[in-house]
Every structure is written in structure tokens, then in C-alpha cells.
Amino acid sequence: MSSAGNDPRQPSAAKPYVAPPVPPESLPVDYSGFIAIIFGVAGAMLRYKLCSWLAVICCAHSLVNMRNLETDLKQISTAL
């Protein structure tokens, strides 16, 4: 059964969604990057391997969730 002829939607009236601009001050805080720094310092100072691995995992999580507008080489190299 084809209902293409009975479709009430109008393709000519459809408008593509444009996301509203969001200022950088109102973006949510990157908690995983902050936790990666804390675990990295704890792993280096206290020589806990678990803290170091958690820092690597949190850093990877932070890099994966990074938005395109935040992406620059300096920030990525600092995070690694």
C-alpha cells in the first residue's frame, strides 16, 4: 500500500533546521577534561597506575565529545 498520493505534507513549505548560535560562555563545562587533569596529576604524583589509566580514558572521552568549533591543534595537543 502506497500512501504517497495522500501525503498532506508540503515539501515546498519545509525549511531546513538552522541551530541558533550559542555563545562560548553558555556552553556546558567539560567535566571529563577536568577529571582527566585531576587523575593525571594524582597518577603522576602518587604513582597509581589506576589513576593514570582513568586519566587516559577521561581524556579520550573529552576529545571524542569535543565540538568542531572548539577543535584547534593547540587544545588537542595540550589535552594529550
Side-chain angles (χ1 to χ4, degrees), residues 17-74:
Y17 175 73
V18 178
V22 178
E25 296 84 28
S26 66
L27 289 174
V29 178
D30 183 22
Y31 290 110
S32 58
F34 180 69
I35 293 171
I37 292 172
I38 298 299
F39 279 136
V41 170
M45 299 292 283
L46 303 175
R47 295 182 186 231
Y48 288 151
K49 289 183 182 180
L50 179 63
C51 288
S52 299
W53 280 110
L54 288 174
V56 170
I57 291 170
C58 289
C59 181
H61 181 265
S62 176
L63 291 176
V64 167
N65 288 332
M66 190 177 294
R67 298 181 190 267
N68 288 339
L69 62 107
E70 297 175 356
T71 307
D72 62 341
L73 186 59
K74 183 179 178 183

